[in-house]
Amino acid sequence: MRAPFRLLCLGAVLVGCSGITVVAPRPELRRVAPDDVPLPPFEPVAEGAESMNSEYCLESCTAEKARFAEFAKQIQELQKLQSGNRGQSVQRGFHGKAHGCLYGTVEPLPDRDPRSKFGVFAEGKGPYKAWIRFSNGVGWTQPDDELDARGMAVKLLGVDGARPLNDEMQTQDFLMTNSPTPVGRNAEEFMKFAFANERGRLSGYWFAATHIRTGAPALMRTDPIDSAANAQYWAGGAFHLGAHQAVKYTAKPCEGSVPRPKGPRTDPDYLRKDLNAAAKAGLCFTFYAQFQADPKTTPIEHASREWPEDVAPPVPIATIRMPAQDLADPARDAFCEKLSYSPWHGIYAHQPMGHINRARRYVYEASRQGRAGGFEPHGYEGFDAPPQTPTK
Ligand code: HEM
């Protein structure tokens, strides 16, 4: 059924593909069925050309892939530079310092929007066990009151389905930072910034000054935060939700969550201490999808163009629950360090989109190898003991 569906729809705009209304041929328009494997990105298209997902390569798909191979090498160079310049061990290329890893669940909402019911959010799917890692943005360890992005990475476990990578077979990762847009309209700019930032604060500022529209908005959001548990996080790039739709994700503390008290920022690890205190009571986030409205106001390839909420309102689709737990355990920290997150860990229904995301397929794996890390859990891995109650 799928091939005829595509053939029928490829050359024409059809209303609901019902065969009733046929208008002018539009060769750029590609429609896919929800359960298809997402189509690869286009070769570059004419400015203004529309498509169902508007995903097209930078320069050419061959040239782009060659650049990604270079980025993979550059990430490992960056890892060495970042550790060597500070006398620290080699860490993740970005998001080196963890505040903690929490176990929890991801539960699709019972009354979620029907448009969201694909992949891990399909009817009857979930709840899933999950591991959630909170982090700072740079690939070295620095005090938490420094300018930096903050990350929240969510790994769902026990996820079945065909997937583009085979380095893991049962997880679905969602990676977010506390800015709606990443630094850079594409991975070329992102990598340029990464090396500029490593050269020093002035060089980072120069990058922001020379990338006012594509770099500065995310860099303006790097002020220190009071608590990782209070923040809102965004996925930045776009993703399939089913092969036929593009979405961006965001997570916010659940309605009714008690905001963390504002504490002093004198302790270099105050975010870890705060997260540990918050974890003792448990944490809850609501996970939202913004559905692409059209290729112009909600573009795929220009990652630094924020999808406005008035045209793509965030729709709640799941709850991320982290029950009360104690993070102060060196074994948990060692486990947290080894975990390997990637937006490409997952099934086709959630395949990443856009240049910035396509590059991530290669650089996360390079970074994982560069730090000799990488571990895919199958459960709570022995950390699921009920909280200890003190004996009198
Ligand atoms: C689109 C927006 C992006 C978001 C929301 C994002 C978010 C994150 C998060 C949350 C982590 C930490 C994962 C963990 O806890 O282990 C991470 C790690 C990382 N990110 Fe990104 N990132 C983005 C773009 C990029 C780009 C464009 C690159 C490079 C081209 C990149 C390279 C990396 C690398 C190398 C790691 C470390 C991987 C590892 O060693 O496990 N990221 N990212």
Side-chain angles (χ1 to χ4, degrees), residues 53-65:
N53 56 30
S54 308
E55 196 183 15
Y56 51 90
C57 296
L58 191 65
E59 291 178 21
S60 75
C61 295
T62 313
E64 181 184 279
K65 218 166 162 193

Side-chain angles (χ1 to χ4, degrees), residues 98-360:
H99 310 309
C101 280
L102 284 82
Y103 57 75
T105 54
V106 174
E107 304 161 25
L109 293 173
D111 57 350
R112 61 196 177 282
D113 190 310
R115 289 176 300 166
S116 69
K117 293 189 177 177
F118 297 99
V120 297
F121 307 112
E123 192 67 51
K125 295 282 186 180
Y128 301 89
K129 286 185 173 180
W131 276 102
I132 298 100
R133 180 176 183 268
F134 291 92
S135 57
N136 280 346
V138 292
W140 62 88
T141 303
Q142 66 179 13
D144 295 339
D145 68 347
E146 294 275 350
L147 297 179
D148 203 353
R150 320 289 155 174
M152 176 184 184
V154 184
K155 183 182 286 301
L156 279 60
L157 311 178
V159 176
D160 299 327
R163 48 194 66 235
L165 295 189
N166 60 5
D167 62 335
E168 51 75 41
M169 291 313 290
Q170 57 94 44
T171 62
Q172 175 65 55
D173 295 358
F174 295 107
L175 280 68
M176 293 169 280
T177 66
N178 65 333
S179 165
T181 52
V183 176
R185 65 184 272 167
N186 54 32
E188 294 283 350
E189 287 192 2
F190 183 97
M191 292 297 290
K192 201 167 147 194
F193 168 71
F195 279 93
N197 202 35
E198 177 54 21
R199 283 195 294 275
R201 187 61 65 78
L202 271 182
S203 171
Y205 288 150
W206 179 248
F207 178 91
T210 50
H211 296 78
I212 291 290
R213 287 162 69 109
T214 61
L219 295 169
M220 301 280 279
R221 299 187 71 107
T222 51
D223 278 344
I225 58 170
D226 291 320
S227 167
N230 279 351
Q232 179 173 357
Y233 299 88
W234 290 264
F239 295 81
H240 283 279
L241 183 49
H244 63 312
Q245 302 183 109
V247 295
K248 287 195 176 188
Y249 295 110
T250 180
K252 295 190 235 191
C254 293
E255 220 172 292
S257 294
V258 183
R260 298 287 309 146
K262 209 175 152 85
R265 293 174 178 166
T266 40
D267 187 319
D269 304 322
Y270 73 88
L271 287 175
R272 159 179 286 262
K273 302 227 159 82
D274 173 79
L275 187 66
N276 199 357
K280 288 196 170 115
L283 269 69
C284 174
F285 282 77
T286 305
F287 193 57
Y288 300 79
Q290 284 182 283
F291 290 83
Q292 185 186 30
D294 63 78
K296 291 202 178 64
T297 56
T298 46
I300 305 289
E301 293 297 338
H302 296 224
S304 48
R305 292 246 294 273
E306 187 174 346
W307 286 13
E309 292 200 352
D310 55 339
V311 296
V315 174
I317 56 174
T319 307
I320 306 169
R321 259 184 241 289
M322 294 159 254
Q325 55 198 287
D326 188 359
L327 305 186
D329 173 1
R332 168 104 58 141
D333 286 335
F335 167 79
C336 194
E337 274 325 289
K338 283 277 165 203
L339 283 181
S340 124
Y341 289 86
S342 165
W344 284 85
H345 285 168
I347 56 178
Y348 281 116
H350 303 289
Q351 185 167 301
M353 300 178 80
H355 188 270
I356 209 152
N357 268 340
R358 290 193 296 277
R360 295 165 84 191

